[in-house]
Amino acid sequence: MKALFAKFLEEESGATAIEYGLIAALVGVAIIAGVRALGSELNSTFSEVTSTLEATNPA
């Protein structure tokens, strides 16, 4: 039992997997934040273009 516990403490692949998982989660959060910011700006730009087109062509 003692040898099994010592082997468990020496194993580092699980820690590496957790680190990669945390990095992937952080990248995902950054991408979501960037897309939300860009989406708001695009929405504002398209609204402005729509207003301009409606003003110049009041069909």
Side-chain angles (χ1 to χ4, degrees):
M1 184 72 171
K2 188 175 182 181
L4 181 64
F5 186 70
K7 185 178 177 183
F8 176 75
L9 290 177
E10 291 176 8
E11 185 66 40
E12 293 183 6
S13 63
T16 303
I18 291 172
E19 290 168 357
Y20 283 129
L22 290 173
I23 291 169
L26 184 61
V27 169
V29 168
I31 289 172
I32 290 170
V35 167
R36 282 190 171 208
L38 184 62
S40 297
E41 289 183 32
L42 282 177
N43 190 22
S44 175
T45 302
F46 283 125
S47 295
E48 185 179 330
V49 169
T50 302
S51 298
T52 304
L53 288 175
E54 288 175 350
T56 59
N57 189 12

mmCIF file of all heavy atoms in Angstrom:
data_model
loop_
_atom_site.group_PDB
_atom_site.id
_atom_site.type_symbol
_atom_site.label_atom_id
_atom_site.label_comp_id
_atom_site.label_asym_id
_atom_site.label_seq_id
_atom_site.Cartn_x
_atom_site.Cartn_y
_atom_site.Cartn_z
ATOM 1 N N MET A 1 0.819 -1.188 0.000
ATOM 2 C CA MET A 1 0.000 0.000 0.000
ATOM 3 C C MET A 1 0.862 1.250 0.000
ATOM 4 O O MET A 1 0.552 2.208 -0.677
ATOM 5 C CB MET A 1 -0.923 -0.048 1.218
ATOM 6 C CG MET A 1 -1.895 1.066 1.289
ATOM 7 S SD MET A 1 -3.139 0.829 0.024
ATOM 8 C CE MET A 1 -4.292 2.049 0.444
ATOM 9 N N LYS A 2 1.949 1.192 0.750
ATOM 10 C CA LYS A 2 2.856 2.339 0.836
ATOM 11 C C LYS A 2 3.499 2.594 -0.533
ATOM 12 O O LYS A 2 3.658 3.743 -0.938
ATOM 13 C CB LYS A 2 3.916 2.079 1.902
ATOM 14 C CG LYS A 2 4.776 3.246 2.214
ATOM 15 C CD LYS A 2 5.723 2.937 3.362
ATOM 16 C CE LYS A 2 6.565 4.135 3.697
ATOM 17 N NZ LYS A 2 7.490 3.863 4.783
ATOM 18 N N ALA A 3 3.867 1.532 -1.232
ATOM 19 C CA ALA A 3 4.478 1.673 -2.556
ATOM 20 C C ALA A 3 3.471 2.272 -3.543
ATOM 21 O O ALA A 3 3.831 3.112 -4.385
ATOM 22 C CB ALA A 3 4.972 0.323 -3.063
ATOM 23 N N LEU A 4 2.231 1.883 -3.466
ATOM 24 C CA LEU A 4 1.192 2.417 -4.350
ATOM 25 C C LEU A 4 0.997 3.910 -4.093
ATOM 26 O O LEU A 4 0.878 4.708 -5.034
ATOM 27 C CB LEU A 4 -0.123 1.664 -4.137
ATOM 28 C CG LEU A 4 -1.289 2.081 -5.008
ATOM 29 C CD1 LEU A 4 -0.982 1.798 -6.476
ATOM 30 C CD2 LEU A 4 -2.547 1.352 -4.595
ATOM 31 N N PHE A 5 0.993 4.319 -2.832
ATOM 32 C CA PHE A 5 0.850 5.729 -2.481
ATOM 33 C C PHE A 5 2.051 6.541 -2.964
ATOM 34 O O PHE A 5 1.886 7.649 -3.485
ATOM 35 C CB PHE A 5 0.664 5.878 -0.965
ATOM 36 C CG PHE A 5 0.370 7.284 -0.536
ATOM 37 C CD1 PHE A 5 -0.845 7.875 -0.843
ATOM 38 C CD2 PHE A 5 1.314 8.012 0.178
ATOM 39 C CE1 PHE A 5 -1.120 9.166 -0.441
ATOM 40 C CE2 PHE A 5 1.047 9.311 0.569
ATOM 41 C CZ PHE A 5 -0.164 9.890 0.261
ATOM 42 N N ALA A 6 3.247 5.994 -2.822
ATOM 43 C CA ALA A 6 4.452 6.678 -3.291
ATOM 44 C C ALA A 6 4.430 6.835 -4.808
ATOM 45 O O ALA A 6 4.797 7.887 -5.338
ATOM 46 C CB ALA A 6 5.692 5.908 -2.856
ATOM 47 N N LYS A 7 3.982 5.807 -5.510
ATOM 48 C CA LYS A 7 3.870 5.883 -6.969
ATOM 49 C C LYS A 7 2.850 6.947 -7.378
ATOM 50 O O LYS A 7 3.060 7.690 -8.341
ATOM 51 C CB LYS A 7 3.473 4.518 -7.525
ATOM 52 C CG LYS A 7 3.445 4.456 -9.030
ATOM 53 C CD LYS A 7 3.103 3.055 -9.509
ATOM 54 C CE LYS A 7 3.013 3.023 -11.022
ATOM 55 N NZ LYS A 7 2.616 1.727 -11.534
ATOM 56 N N PHE A 8 1.749 7.028 -6.639
ATOM 57 C CA PHE A 8 0.727 8.030 -6.917
ATOM 58 C C PHE A 8 1.282 9.439 -6.754
ATOM 59 O O PHE A 8 0.992 10.338 -7.551
ATOM 60 C CB PHE A 8 -0.467 7.817 -5.985
ATOM 61 C CG PHE A 8 -1.538 8.853 -6.130
ATOM 62 C CD1 PHE A 8 -2.390 8.851 -7.222
ATOM 63 C CD2 PHE A 8 -1.698 9.840 -5.172
ATOM 64 C CE1 PHE A 8 -3.378 9.806 -7.353
ATOM 65 C CE2 PHE A 8 -2.679 10.804 -5.292
ATOM 66 C CZ PHE A 8 -3.523 10.785 -6.391
ATOM 67 N N LEU A 9 2.103 9.670 -5.729
ATOM 68 C CA LEU A 9 2.680 10.991 -5.495
ATOM 69 C C LEU A 9 3.695 11.374 -6.567
ATOM 70 O O LEU A 9 3.864 12.554 -6.871
ATOM 71 C CB LEU A 9 3.327 11.052 -4.110
ATOM 72 C CG LEU A 9 2.362 11.043 -2.928
ATOM 73 C CD1 LEU A 9 3.154 11.042 -1.615
ATOM 74 C CD2 LEU A 9 1.420 12.230 -2.986
ATOM 75 N N GLU A 10 4.373 10.387 -7.155
ATOM 76 C CA GLU A 10 5.372 10.665 -8.183
ATOM 77 C C GLU A 10 4.744 10.943 -9.552
ATOM 78 O O GLU A 10 5.362 11.561 -10.400
ATOM 79 C CB GLU A 10 6.334 9.485 -8.294
ATOM 80 C CG GLU A 10 7.226 9.331 -7.085
ATOM 81 C CD GLU A 10 8.097 8.087 -7.172
ATOM 82 O OE1 GLU A 10 8.108 7.445 -8.237
ATOM 83 O OE2 GLU A 10 8.753 7.766 -6.172
ATOM 84 N N GLU A 11 3.540 10.471 -9.763
ATOM 85 C CA GLU A 11 2.861 10.636 -11.053
ATOM 86 C C GLU A 11 2.524 12.105 -11.282
ATOM 87 O O GLU A 11 1.930 12.752 -10.430
ATOM 88 C CB GLU A 11 1.586 9.787 -11.075
ATOM 89 C CG GLU A 11 0.867 9.776 -12.390
ATOM 90 C CD GLU A 11 1.672 9.107 -13.486
ATOM 91 O OE1 GLU A 11 2.319 8.090 -13.214
ATOM 92 O OE2 GLU A 11 1.664 9.633 -14.598
ATOM 93 N N GLU A 12 2.925 12.654 -12.429
ATOM 94 C CA GLU A 12 2.686 14.060 -12.730
ATOM 95 C C GLU A 12 1.833 14.265 -13.971
ATOM 96 O O GLU A 12 1.526 15.392 -14.329
ATOM 97 C CB GLU A 12 4.014 14.791 -12.896
ATOM 98 C CG GLU A 12 4.811 14.876 -11.614
ATOM 99 C CD GLU A 12 6.092 15.660 -11.792
ATOM 100 O OE1 GLU A 12 6.298 16.234 -12.870
ATOM 101 O OE2 GLU A 12 6.879 15.693 -10.834
ATOM 102 N N SER A 13 1.451 13.236 -14.672
ATOM 103 C CA SER A 13 0.696 13.426 -15.908
ATOM 104 C C SER A 13 -0.695 14.000 -15.638
ATOM 105 O O SER A 13 -1.219 14.766 -16.441
ATOM 106 C CB SER A 13 0.587 12.119 -16.682
ATOM 107 O OG SER A 13 -0.137 11.162 -15.938
ATOM 108 N N GLY A 14 -1.290 13.656 -14.524
ATOM 109 C CA GLY A 14 -2.595 14.207 -14.179
ATOM 110 C C GLY A 14 -2.531 15.699 -13.943
ATOM 111 O O GLY A 14 -3.407 16.447 -14.360
ATOM 112 N N ALA A 15 -1.483 16.157 -13.281
ATOM 113 C CA ALA A 15 -1.307 17.586 -13.032
ATOM 114 C C ALA A 15 -1.124 18.334 -14.345
ATOM 115 O O ALA A 15 -1.661 19.430 -14.526
ATOM 116 C CB ALA A 15 -0.117 17.819 -12.113
ATOM 117 N N THR A 16 -0.394 17.747 -15.268
ATOM 118 C CA THR A 16 -0.190 18.378 -16.565
ATOM 119 C C THR A 16 -1.514 18.480 -17.309
ATOM 120 O O THR A 16 -1.811 19.506 -17.920
ATOM 121 C CB THR A 16 0.827 17.581 -17.402
ATOM 122 O OG1 THR A 16 2.049 17.485 -16.667
ATOM 123 C CG2 THR A 16 1.098 18.252 -18.713
ATOM 124 N N ALA A 17 -2.319 17.461 -17.260
ATOM 125 C CA ALA A 17 -3.624 17.490 -17.926
ATOM 126 C C ALA A 17 -4.507 18.577 -17.326
ATOM 127 O O ALA A 17 -5.211 19.281 -18.056
ATOM 128 C CB ALA A 17 -4.294 16.130 -17.823
ATOM 129 N N ILE A 18 -4.469 18.725 -16.026
ATOM 130 C CA ILE A 18 -5.256 19.772 -15.368
ATOM 131 C C ILE A 18 -4.765 21.144 -15.794
ATOM 132 O O ILE A 18 -5.562 22.043 -16.076
ATOM 133 C CB ILE A 18 -5.198 19.606 -13.836
ATOM 134 C CG1 ILE A 18 -5.966 18.359 -13.426
ATOM 135 C CG2 ILE A 18 -5.756 20.830 -13.133
ATOM 136 C CD1 ILE A 18 -5.815 17.994 -11.973
ATOM 137 N N GLU A 19 -3.471 21.330 -15.893
ATOM 138 C CA GLU A 19 -2.922 22.616 -16.327
ATOM 139 C C GLU A 19 -3.359 22.946 -17.750
ATOM 140 O O GLU A 19 -3.757 24.084 -18.038
ATOM 141 C CB GLU A 19 -1.398 22.594 -16.236
ATOM 142 C CG GLU A 19 -0.890 22.573 -14.810
ATOM 143 C CD GLU A 19 0.598 22.262 -14.719
ATOM 144 O OE1 GLU A 19 1.223 22.015 -15.765
ATOM 145 O OE2 GLU A 19 1.126 22.271 -13.600
ATOM 146 N N TYR A 20 -3.289 21.958 -18.638
ATOM 147 C CA TYR A 20 -3.746 22.194 -20.004
ATOM 148 C C TYR A 20 -5.238 22.505 -20.043
ATOM 149 O O TYR A 20 -5.692 23.344 -20.821
ATOM 150 C CB TYR A 20 -3.426 21.000 -20.905
ATOM 151 C CG TYR A 20 -1.978 20.930 -21.317
ATOM 152 C CD1 TYR A 20 -1.250 19.759 -21.165
ATOM 153 C CD2 TYR A 20 -1.339 22.026 -21.863
ATOM 154 C CE1 TYR A 20 0.081 19.683 -21.542
ATOM 155 C CE2 TYR A 20 -0.019 21.967 -22.239
ATOM 156 C CZ TYR A 20 0.692 20.795 -22.087
ATOM 157 O OH TYR A 20 2.004 20.734 -22.460
ATOM 158 N N GLY A 21 -6.001 21.852 -19.215
ATOM 159 C CA GLY A 21 -7.430 22.134 -19.136
ATOM 160 C C GLY A 21 -7.711 23.554 -18.679
ATOM 161 O O GLY A 21 -8.586 24.235 -19.219
ATOM 162 N N LEU A 22 -6.962 24.016 -17.691
ATOM 163 C CA LEU A 22 -7.130 25.388 -17.211
ATOM 164 C C LEU A 22 -6.731 26.404 -18.276
ATOM 165 O O LEU A 22 -7.395 27.431 -18.442
ATOM 166 C CB LEU A 22 -6.311 25.607 -15.937
ATOM 167 C CG LEU A 22 -6.812 24.879 -14.696
ATOM 168 C CD1 LEU A 22 -5.817 25.041 -13.548
ATOM 169 C CD2 LEU A 22 -8.178 25.396 -14.291
ATOM 170 N N ILE A 23 -5.664 26.127 -19.002
ATOM 171 C CA ILE A 23 -5.246 27.019 -20.080
ATOM 172 C C ILE A 23 -6.315 27.063 -21.163
ATOM 173 O O ILE A 23 -6.660 28.142 -21.667
ATOM 174 C CB ILE A 23 -3.884 26.586 -20.658
ATOM 175 C CG1 ILE A 23 -2.778 26.835 -19.631
ATOM 176 C CG2 ILE A 23 -3.580 27.319 -21.957
ATOM 177 C CD1 ILE A 23 -1.448 26.214 -20.000
ATOM 178 N N ALA A 24 -6.861 25.922 -21.530
ATOM 179 C CA ALA A 24 -7.914 25.875 -22.553
ATOM 180 C C ALA A 24 -9.151 26.653 -22.090
ATOM 181 O O ALA A 24 -9.766 27.369 -22.882
ATOM 182 C CB ALA A 24 -8.274 24.424 -22.861
ATOM 183 N N ALA A 25 -9.510 26.536 -20.825
ATOM 184 C CA ALA A 25 -10.654 27.279 -20.296
ATOM 185 C C ALA A 25 -10.393 28.779 -20.343
ATOM 186 O O ALA A 25 -11.282 29.560 -20.710
ATOM 187 C CB ALA A 25 -10.953 26.833 -18.868
ATOM 188 N N LEU A 26 -9.191 29.197 -20.000
ATOM 189 C CA LEU A 26 -8.838 30.613 -20.038
ATOM 190 C C LEU A 26 -8.882 31.155 -21.459
ATOM 191 O O LEU A 26 -9.398 32.247 -21.699
ATOM 192 C CB LEU A 26 -7.449 30.821 -19.429
ATOM 193 C CG LEU A 26 -6.968 32.264 -19.316
ATOM 194 C CD1 LEU A 26 -7.908 33.057 -18.414
ATOM 195 C CD2 LEU A 26 -5.558 32.299 -18.765
ATOM 196 N N VAL A 27 -8.372 30.387 -22.408
ATOM 197 C CA VAL A 27 -8.428 30.794 -23.818
ATOM 198 C C VAL A 27 -9.879 30.896 -24.271
ATOM 199 O O VAL A 27 -10.260 31.837 -24.972
ATOM 200 C CB VAL A 27 -7.625 29.815 -24.698
ATOM 201 C CG1 VAL A 27 -7.892 30.055 -26.177
ATOM 202 C CG2 VAL A 27 -6.136 29.939 -24.414
ATOM 203 N N GLY A 28 -10.702 29.956 -23.865
ATOM 204 C CA GLY A 28 -12.117 29.997 -24.217
ATOM 205 C C GLY A 28 -12.813 31.238 -23.680
ATOM 206 O O GLY A 28 -13.591 31.882 -24.387
ATOM 207 N N VAL A 29 -12.529 31.591 -22.437
ATOM 208 C CA VAL A 29 -13.124 32.792 -21.841
ATOM 209 C C VAL A 29 -12.660 34.043 -22.593
ATOM 210 O O VAL A 29 -13.457 34.949 -22.861
ATOM 211 C CB VAL A 29 -12.771 32.883 -20.341
ATOM 212 C CG1 VAL A 29 -13.113 34.241 -19.765
ATOM 213 C CG2 VAL A 29 -13.481 31.788 -19.570
ATOM 214 N N ALA A 30 -11.392 34.098 -22.962
ATOM 215 C CA ALA A 30 -10.872 35.245 -23.708
ATOM 216 C C ALA A 30 -11.543 35.350 -25.077
ATOM 217 O O ALA A 30 -11.886 36.453 -25.530
ATOM 218 C CB ALA A 30 -9.357 35.137 -23.863
ATOM 219 N N ILE A 31 -11.737 34.236 -25.741
ATOM 220 C CA ILE A 31 -12.398 34.250 -27.050
ATOM 221 C C ILE A 31 -13.843 34.726 -26.909
ATOM 222 O O ILE A 31 -14.309 35.551 -27.708
ATOM 223 C CB ILE A 31 -12.331 32.858 -27.699
ATOM 224 C CG1 ILE A 31 -10.897 32.557 -28.140
ATOM 225 C CG2 ILE A 31 -13.286 32.753 -28.875
ATOM 226 C CD1 ILE A 31 -10.684 31.141 -28.626
ATOM 227 N N ILE A 32 -14.552 34.239 -25.914
ATOM 228 C CA ILE A 32 -15.945 34.651 -25.711
ATOM 229 C C ILE A 32 -16.025 36.148 -25.427
ATOM 230 O O ILE A 32 -16.876 36.851 -25.983
ATOM 231 C CB ILE A 32 -16.585 33.834 -24.575
ATOM 232 C CG1 ILE A 32 -16.778 32.389 -25.028
ATOM 233 C CG2 ILE A 32 -17.902 34.443 -24.120
ATOM 234 C CD1 ILE A 32 -17.181 31.440 -23.932
ATOM 235 N N ALA A 33 -15.125 36.655 -24.605
ATOM 236 C CA ALA A 33 -15.129 38.087 -24.304
ATOM 237 C C ALA A 33 -14.837 38.909 -25.555
ATOM 238 O O ALA A 33 -15.476 39.943 -25.797
ATOM 239 C CB ALA A 33 -14.096 38.400 -23.217
ATOM 240 N N GLY A 34 -13.891 38.459 -26.356
ATOM 241 C CA GLY A 34 -13.561 39.174 -27.590
ATOM 242 C C GLY A 34 -14.702 39.161 -28.586
ATOM 243 O O GLY A 34 -15.005 40.185 -29.213
ATOM 244 N N VAL A 35 -15.372 38.042 -28.723
ATOM 245 C CA VAL A 35 -16.496 37.938 -29.661
ATOM 246 C C VAL A 35 -17.651 38.818 -29.199
ATOM 247 O O VAL A 35 -18.300 39.474 -30.019
ATOM 248 C CB VAL A 35 -16.934 36.465 -29.810
ATOM 249 C CG1 VAL A 35 -18.269 36.347 -30.513
ATOM 250 C CG2 VAL A 35 -15.872 35.689 -30.576
ATOM 251 N N ARG A 36 -17.901 38.854 -27.909
ATOM 252 C CA ARG A 36 -18.974 39.716 -27.402
ATOM 253 C C ARG A 36 -18.667 41.181 -27.661
ATOM 254 O O ARG A 36 -19.547 41.935 -28.078
ATOM 255 C CB ARG A 36 -19.186 39.494 -25.911
ATOM 256 C CG ARG A 36 -19.957 38.265 -25.611
ATOM 257 C CD ARG A 36 -20.338 38.217 -24.156
ATOM 258 N NE ARG A 36 -21.268 37.121 -23.969
ATOM 259 C CZ ARG A 36 -22.167 37.098 -23.032
ATOM 260 N NH1 ARG A 36 -22.265 38.082 -22.179
ATOM 261 N NH2 ARG A 36 -22.981 36.069 -22.932
ATOM 262 N N ALA A 37 -17.449 41.612 -27.423
ATOM 263 C CA ALA A 37 -17.074 43.009 -27.661
ATOM 264 C C ALA A 37 -17.167 43.333 -29.151
ATOM 265 O O ALA A 37 -17.703 44.381 -29.542
ATOM 266 C CB ALA A 37 -15.667 43.279 -27.141
ATOM 267 N N LEU A 38 -16.664 42.454 -29.977
ATOM 268 C CA LEU A 38 -16.711 42.665 -31.415
ATOM 269 C C LEU A 38 -18.155 42.637 -31.917
ATOM 270 O O LEU A 38 -18.538 43.428 -32.778
ATOM 271 C CB LEU A 38 -15.891 41.595 -32.135
ATOM 272 C CG LEU A 38 -15.769 41.732 -33.651
ATOM 273 C CD1 LEU A 38 -15.067 43.031 -34.012
ATOM 274 C CD2 LEU A 38 -15.021 40.554 -34.232
ATOM 275 N N GLY A 39 -18.970 41.766 -31.377
ATOM 276 C CA GLY A 39 -20.370 41.681 -31.765
ATOM 277 C C GLY A 39 -21.124 42.961 -31.468
ATOM 278 O O GLY A 39 -21.935 43.419 -32.277
ATOM 279 N N SER A 40 -20.858 43.569 -30.327
ATOM 280 C CA SER A 40 -21.507 44.832 -29.977
ATOM 281 C C SER A 40 -21.106 45.937 -30.943
ATOM 282 O O SER A 40 -21.941 46.731 -31.376
ATOM 283 C CB SER A 40 -21.140 45.237 -28.549
ATOM 284 O OG SER A 40 -21.607 44.284 -27.636
ATOM 285 N N GLU A 41 -19.837 45.983 -31.284
ATOM 286 C CA GLU A 41 -19.369 46.999 -32.232
ATOM 287 C C GLU A 41 -19.956 46.774 -33.607
ATOM 288 O O GLU A 41 -20.354 47.725 -34.290
ATOM 289 C CB GLU A 41 -17.840 47.000 -32.300
ATOM 290 C CG GLU A 41 -17.184 47.557 -31.057
ATOM 291 C CD GLU A 41 -15.674 47.614 -31.190
ATOM 292 O OE1 GLU A 41 -15.181 47.824 -32.313
ATOM 293 O OE2 GLU A 41 -15.004 47.461 -30.167
ATOM 294 N N LEU A 42 -20.030 45.525 -34.043
ATOM 295 C CA LEU A 42 -20.617 45.231 -35.351
ATOM 296 C C LEU A 42 -22.096 45.581 -35.387
ATOM 297 O O LEU A 42 -22.590 46.122 -36.382
ATOM 298 C CB LEU A 42 -20.423 43.758 -35.707
ATOM 299 C CG LEU A 42 -19.049 43.358 -36.208
ATOM 300 C CD1 LEU A 42 -18.992 41.859 -36.435
ATOM 301 C CD2 LEU A 42 -18.720 44.072 -37.496
ATOM 302 N N ASN A 43 -22.809 45.288 -34.330
ATOM 303 C CA ASN A 43 -24.222 45.626 -34.257
ATOM 304 C C ASN A 43 -24.411 47.134 -34.377
ATOM 305 O O ASN A 43 -25.292 47.603 -35.095
ATOM 306 C CB ASN A 43 -24.826 45.100 -32.957
ATOM 307 C CG ASN A 43 -26.322 45.215 -32.926
ATOM 308 O OD1 ASN A 43 -26.969 45.304 -33.956
ATOM 309 N ND2 ASN A 43 -26.877 45.213 -31.734
ATOM 310 N N SER A 44 -23.599 47.900 -33.686
ATOM 311 C CA SER A 44 -23.666 49.361 -33.752
ATOM 312 C C SER A 44 -23.363 49.857 -35.163
ATOM 313 O O SER A 44 -24.062 50.732 -35.690
ATOM 314 C CB SER A 44 -22.677 49.964 -32.756
ATOM 315 O OG SER A 44 -22.647 51.354 -32.890
ATOM 316 N N THR A 45 -22.347 49.285 -35.796
ATOM 317 C CA THR A 45 -21.976 49.687 -37.155
ATOM 318 C C THR A 45 -23.085 49.379 -38.147
ATOM 319 O O THR A 45 -23.448 50.231 -38.975
ATOM 320 C CB THR A 45 -20.675 48.980 -37.584
ATOM 321 O OG1 THR A 45 -19.641 49.318 -36.657
ATOM 322 C CG2 THR A 45 -20.265 49.399 -38.983
ATOM 323 N N PHE A 46 -23.672 48.195 -38.077
ATOM 324 C CA PHE A 46 -24.753 47.833 -38.998
ATOM 325 C C PHE A 46 -25.993 48.694 -38.763
ATOM 326 O O PHE A 46 -26.694 49.054 -39.706
ATOM 327 C CB PHE A 46 -25.087 46.354 -38.898
ATOM 328 C CG PHE A 46 -24.104 45.466 -39.593
ATOM 329 C CD1 PHE A 46 -23.473 44.444 -38.916
ATOM 330 C CD2 PHE A 46 -23.800 45.656 -40.935
ATOM 331 C CE1 PHE A 46 -22.553 43.622 -39.562
ATOM 332 C CE2 PHE A 46 -22.889 44.846 -41.589
ATOM 333 C CZ PHE A 46 -22.268 43.825 -40.894
ATOM 334 N N SER A 47 -26.267 49.039 -37.526
ATOM 335 C CA SER A 47 -27.395 49.929 -37.236
ATOM 336 C C SER A 47 -27.167 51.303 -37.852
ATOM 337 O O SER A 47 -28.091 51.910 -38.412
ATOM 338 C CB SER A 47 -27.596 50.067 -35.721
ATOM 339 O OG SER A 47 -27.960 48.841 -35.163
ATOM 340 N N GLU A 48 -25.956 51.793 -37.754
ATOM 341 C CA GLU A 48 -25.618 53.086 -38.347
ATOM 342 C C GLU A 48 -25.741 53.044 -39.863
ATOM 343 O O GLU A 48 -26.283 53.962 -40.484
ATOM 344 C CB GLU A 48 -24.192 53.483 -37.944
ATOM 345 C CG GLU A 48 -23.776 54.854 -38.400
ATOM 346 C CD GLU A 48 -22.365 55.209 -37.948
ATOM 347 O OE1 GLU A 48 -21.948 54.725 -36.888
ATOM 348 O OE2 GLU A 48 -21.704 55.958 -38.687
ATOM 349 N N VAL A 49 -25.263 51.989 -40.483
ATOM 350 C CA VAL A 49 -25.369 51.835 -41.938
ATOM 351 C C VAL A 49 -26.838 51.759 -42.347
ATOM 352 O O VAL A 49 -27.255 52.392 -43.325
ATOM 353 C CB VAL A 49 -24.588 50.585 -42.416
ATOM 354 C CG1 VAL A 49 -24.906 50.267 -43.875
ATOM 355 C CG2 VAL A 49 -23.104 50.802 -42.240
ATOM 356 N N THR A 50 -27.641 51.020 -41.610
ATOM 357 C CA THR A 50 -29.069 50.909 -41.908
ATOM 358 C C THR A 50 -29.755 52.252 -41.824
ATOM 359 O O THR A 50 -30.546 52.630 -42.690
ATOM 360 C CB THR A 50 -29.739 49.898 -40.943
ATOM 361 O OG1 THR A 50 -29.106 48.647 -41.074
ATOM 362 C CG2 THR A 50 -31.215 49.768 -41.233
ATOM 363 N N SER A 51 -29.443 53.019 -40.784
ATOM 364 C CA SER A 51 -30.038 54.346 -40.625
ATOM 365 C C SER A 51 -29.643 55.267 -41.772
ATOM 366 O O SER A 51 -30.475 56.005 -42.306
ATOM 367 C CB SER A 51 -29.597 54.964 -39.304
ATOM 368 O OG SER A 51 -30.030 54.192 -38.231
ATOM 369 N N THR A 52 -28.398 55.213 -42.177
ATOM 370 C CA THR A 52 -27.916 56.049 -43.282
ATOM 371 C C THR A 52 -28.599 55.666 -44.585
ATOM 372 O O THR A 52 -29.029 56.539 -45.341
ATOM 373 C CB THR A 52 -26.381 55.925 -43.423
ATOM 374 O OG1 THR A 52 -25.775 56.268 -42.176
ATOM 375 C CG2 THR A 52 -25.868 56.830 -44.514
ATOM 376 N N LEU A 53 -28.719 54.385 -44.840
ATOM 377 C CA LEU A 53 -29.372 53.933 -46.079
ATOM 378 C C LEU A 53 -30.854 54.301 -46.085
ATOM 379 O O LEU A 53 -31.385 54.709 -47.131
ATOM 380 C CB LEU A 53 -29.206 52.435 -46.248
ATOM 381 C CG LEU A 53 -27.795 51.935 -46.614
ATOM 382 C CD1 LEU A 53 -27.750 50.421 -46.618
ATOM 383 C CD2 LEU A 53 -27.359 52.490 -47.956
ATOM 384 N N GLU A 54 -31.524 54.183 -44.967
ATOM 385 C CA GLU A 54 -32.932 54.547 -44.887
ATOM 386 C C GLU A 54 -33.128 56.048 -45.074
ATOM 387 O O GLU A 54 -34.120 56.479 -45.666
ATOM 388 C CB GLU A 54 -33.539 54.098 -43.567
ATOM 389 C CG GLU A 54 -33.729 52.598 -43.482
ATOM 390 C CD GLU A 54 -34.218 52.137 -42.129
ATOM 391 O OE1 GLU A 54 -34.237 52.949 -41.175
ATOM 392 O OE2 GLU A 54 -34.586 50.957 -42.009
ATOM 393 N N ALA A 55 -32.195 56.854 -44.602
ATOM 394 C CA ALA A 55 -32.284 58.310 -44.729
ATOM 395 C C ALA A 55 -32.056 58.741 -46.186
ATOM 396 O O ALA A 55 -32.679 59.695 -46.653
ATOM 397 C CB ALA A 55 -31.282 58.985 -43.810
ATOM 398 N N THR A 56 -31.177 58.065 -46.891
ATOM 399 C CA THR A 56 -30.877 58.454 -48.276
ATOM 400 C C THR A 56 -31.858 57.860 -49.271
ATOM 401 O O THR A 56 -31.996 58.359 -50.371
ATOM 402 C CB THR A 56 -29.453 58.046 -48.662
ATOM 403 O OG1 THR A 56 -29.317 56.629 -48.507
ATOM 404 C CG2 THR A 56 -28.424 58.768 -47.818
ATOM 405 N N ASN A 57 -32.564 56.790 -48.907
ATOM 406 C CA ASN A 57 -33.505 56.140 -49.800
ATOM 407 C C ASN A 57 -34.794 55.853 -49.036
ATOM 408 O O ASN A 57 -35.051 54.738 -48.606
ATOM 409 C CB ASN A 57 -32.902 54.845 -50.343
ATOM 410 C CG ASN A 57 -33.730 54.238 -51.444
ATOM 411 O OD1 ASN A 57 -34.637 54.871 -51.963
ATOM 412 N ND2 ASN A 57 -33.433 52.997 -51.795
ATOM 413 N N PRO A 58 -35.658 56.866 -48.908
ATOM 414 C CA PRO A 58 -36.845 56.704 -48.059
ATOM 415 C C PRO A 58 -37.997 55.932 -48.701
ATOM 416 O O PRO A 58 -39.130 56.117 -48.346
ATOM 417 C CB PRO A 58 -37.250 58.155 -47.768
ATOM 418 C CG PRO A 58 -36.751 58.912 -48.931
ATOM 419 C CD PRO A 58 -35.499 58.206 -49.388
ATOM 420 N N ALA A 59 -37.723 55.077 -49.605
ATOM 421 C CA ALA A 59 -38.736 54.316 -50.353
ATOM 422 C C ALA A 59 -39.876 54.000 -49.462
ATOM 423 O O ALA A 59 -40.982 53.842 -49.644
ATOM 424 C CB ALA A 59 -38.123 53.036 -50.897
#
